[in-house]
């Protein structure tokens, strides 16, 4: 039983660490703000959630301490982190930051952003 | 241009209650675990600031019609009264007391007068933080 518990805890925490490392790599390697917020908000959320779930399982099953704060933290981060990514992306679009030059189409052009402001 | 912040407002409606609940938990858990009046007060203030960010300062004032200066004063008075009440029992200033009570839902609970002092700290922290932020935010 202990082996199975240990296995799950190690898998969860390792997944979290790997996803956090992928986030850092994405922040360095991706070309513009929008792809970077994509990396930061998605994989960082999953990474942190996995680490928290691993910690929760460790304290619950091995130390016999059920900690509901970790569940609340998981729910909280799951709600807030994508919203913050969305807000950063939107704010940078409205501020008129250029898209990467590989961009094929831009559906928001003329709807929000500096061009729409100029029209009115 | 009218900004569209449905995402922020919807997330705020859910998240504010989580933060407020967590603030109350931190406040009451302060005696035995990390936490207490100061952190609980800051968390409550941050929940109200989040509401102010998502909506606007007038709406939040209508929802939560507190005078934060009065709140600070009540907190200070509460802390002073808790500390001064010890004089009437012939013990030194700031001596706290506790006893065990049988409450209807909680069962045997130890109630400590330090919690009242902490409530004063909580009110002062919420009041001062919100006064600072409201005064700066309303500046035209």
């Amino acid at each position: 039983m202990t082996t199975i518990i240990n296995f799950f805890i190690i898998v969860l925490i390792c997944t979290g660490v790997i996803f956090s490392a992928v986030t850092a790599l994405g922040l360095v390697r991706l070309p513009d703000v929008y792809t970077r917020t994509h990396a930061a908000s998605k994989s960082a959320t999953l990474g942190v959630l996995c680490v928290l779930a691993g910690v929760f399982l460790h304290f619950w099953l091995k130390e016999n301490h059920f900690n509901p704060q970790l569940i609340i933290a998981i729910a909280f981060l799951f709600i807030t982190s994508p919203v913050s990514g969305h807000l950063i992306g939107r704010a940078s679009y409205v501020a008129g930051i250029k898209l990467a030059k590989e961009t094929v189409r831009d559906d928001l052009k003329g709807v929000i952003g500096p061009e729409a402001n100029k029209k009115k | 241009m009218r900004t569209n912040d449905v995402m922020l407002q919807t997330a705020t409606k859910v998240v504010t209650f989580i933060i407020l609940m967590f603030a109350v938990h931190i406040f009451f858990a302060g005696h035995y675990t990390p936490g207490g009046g100061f952190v609980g007060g800051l968390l409550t203030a941050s929940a109200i600031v989040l509401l102010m960010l998502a909506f606007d300062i007038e709406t939040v004032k209508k929802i939560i019609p507190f005078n934060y200066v009065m709140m600070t004063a009540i907190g200070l008075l509460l802390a002073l009264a808790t500390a001064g009440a010890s004089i009437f029992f012939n013990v030194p200033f700031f001596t706290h007391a506790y006893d065990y009570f049988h409450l209807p839902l909680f069962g045997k609970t130890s109630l400590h007068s330090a919690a009242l002092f902490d409530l004063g700290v909580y009110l002062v922290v919420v009041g001062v933080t919100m006064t600072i932020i409201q005064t700066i935010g309303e500046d035209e």
Side-chain angles (χ1 to χ4, degrees):
Chain A
M1 191 61 196
T2 323
T3 322
I4 302 173
I5 294 170
N6 274 340
F7 174 75
F8 273 112
I9 294 169
I10 291 171
V11 164
L12 273 173
I13 292 185
C14 286
T15 318
V17 170
I18 290 169
F19 268 97
S20 305
V22 166
T23 309
L25 197 68
L27 286 181
V28 177
R29 291 281 297 158
L30 288 173
D32 66 344
V33 182
Y34 309 102
T35 45
R36 280 184 194 149
T37 50
H38 161 79
S41 58
K42 265 187 183 161
S43 54
T45 313
L46 184 61
V48 175
L49 293 198
C50 282
V51 171
L52 283 177
V55 172
F56 173 73
L57 281 185
H58 173 83
F59 276 102
W60 185 28
L61 298 173
K62 300 190 71 179
E63 317 258 321
N64 247 337
H65 171 64
F66 185 84
N67 194 347
Q69 289 177 22
L70 284 169
I71 301 177
I72 295 174
I74 289 175
F76 188 83
L77 281 174
F78 192 70
I79 299 170
T80 52
S81 170
V83 173
S84 62
H86 163 82
L87 286 175
I88 292 171
R90 201 179 176 86
S92 47
Y93 195 90
V94 171
I97 291 173
K98 292 272 180 299
L99 283 77
K101 61 177 184 301
E102 293 91 350
T103 311
V104 181
R105 75 185 259 195
D106 183 5
D107 279 345
L108 281 180
K109 195 174 187 180
V111 183
I112 60 170
E115 286 119 12
N117 283 343
K118 246 179 266 164
K119 240 184 272 173
K120 279 164 195 171
Chain B
M1 189 181 72
R2 226 179 119 259
T3 48
N4 176 5
D5 24 338
V6 183
M7 297 260 188
L8 179 61
Q9 291 182 350
T10 314
T12 306
K13 280 173 199 164
V14 180
V15 158
T16 307
F17 290 105
I18 301 179
I19 303 177
L20 283 176
M21 262 178 0
F22 191 58
V24 172
H25 169 256
I26 284 268
F27 172 73
F28 280 113
H31 199 69
Y32 293 110
T33 53
F38 188 79
V39 193
L42 278 183
L43 267 173
T44 312
S46 72
I48 304 174
V49 170
L50 181 66
L51 277 178
M52 283 179 175
L53 280 177
F55 301 94
D56 61 286
I57 219 161
E58 295 302 320
T59 320
V60 176
K61 261 190 186 169
K62 216 181 291 165
I63 302 170
I64 313 171
F66 287 146
N67 182 353
Y68 292 109
V69 181
M70 282 297 288
M71 195 189 235
T72 314
I74 290 171
L76 281 173
L77 275 180
L78 197 61
L80 192 65
T82 324
S86 57
I87 294 176
F88 297 107
F89 298 101
N90 242 346
V91 283
F93 188 65
F94 248 117
T95 308
H96 284 297
Y98 73 97
D99 204 354
Y100 292 98
F101 294 97
H102 285 276
L103 299 179
L105 265 170
F106 297 96
K108 189 185 171 195
T109 320
S110 76
L111 296 181
H112 200 295
S113 64
L116 284 175
F117 183 76
D118 230 20
L119 185 65
V121 175
Y122 176 89
L123 289 177
V124 170
V125 170
V126 174
V128 169
T129 318
M130 292 320 296
T131 311
I132 293 171
I133 289 167
Q134 264 191 353
T135 330
I136 297 174
E138 276 174 340
D139 202 22
E140 300 267 316

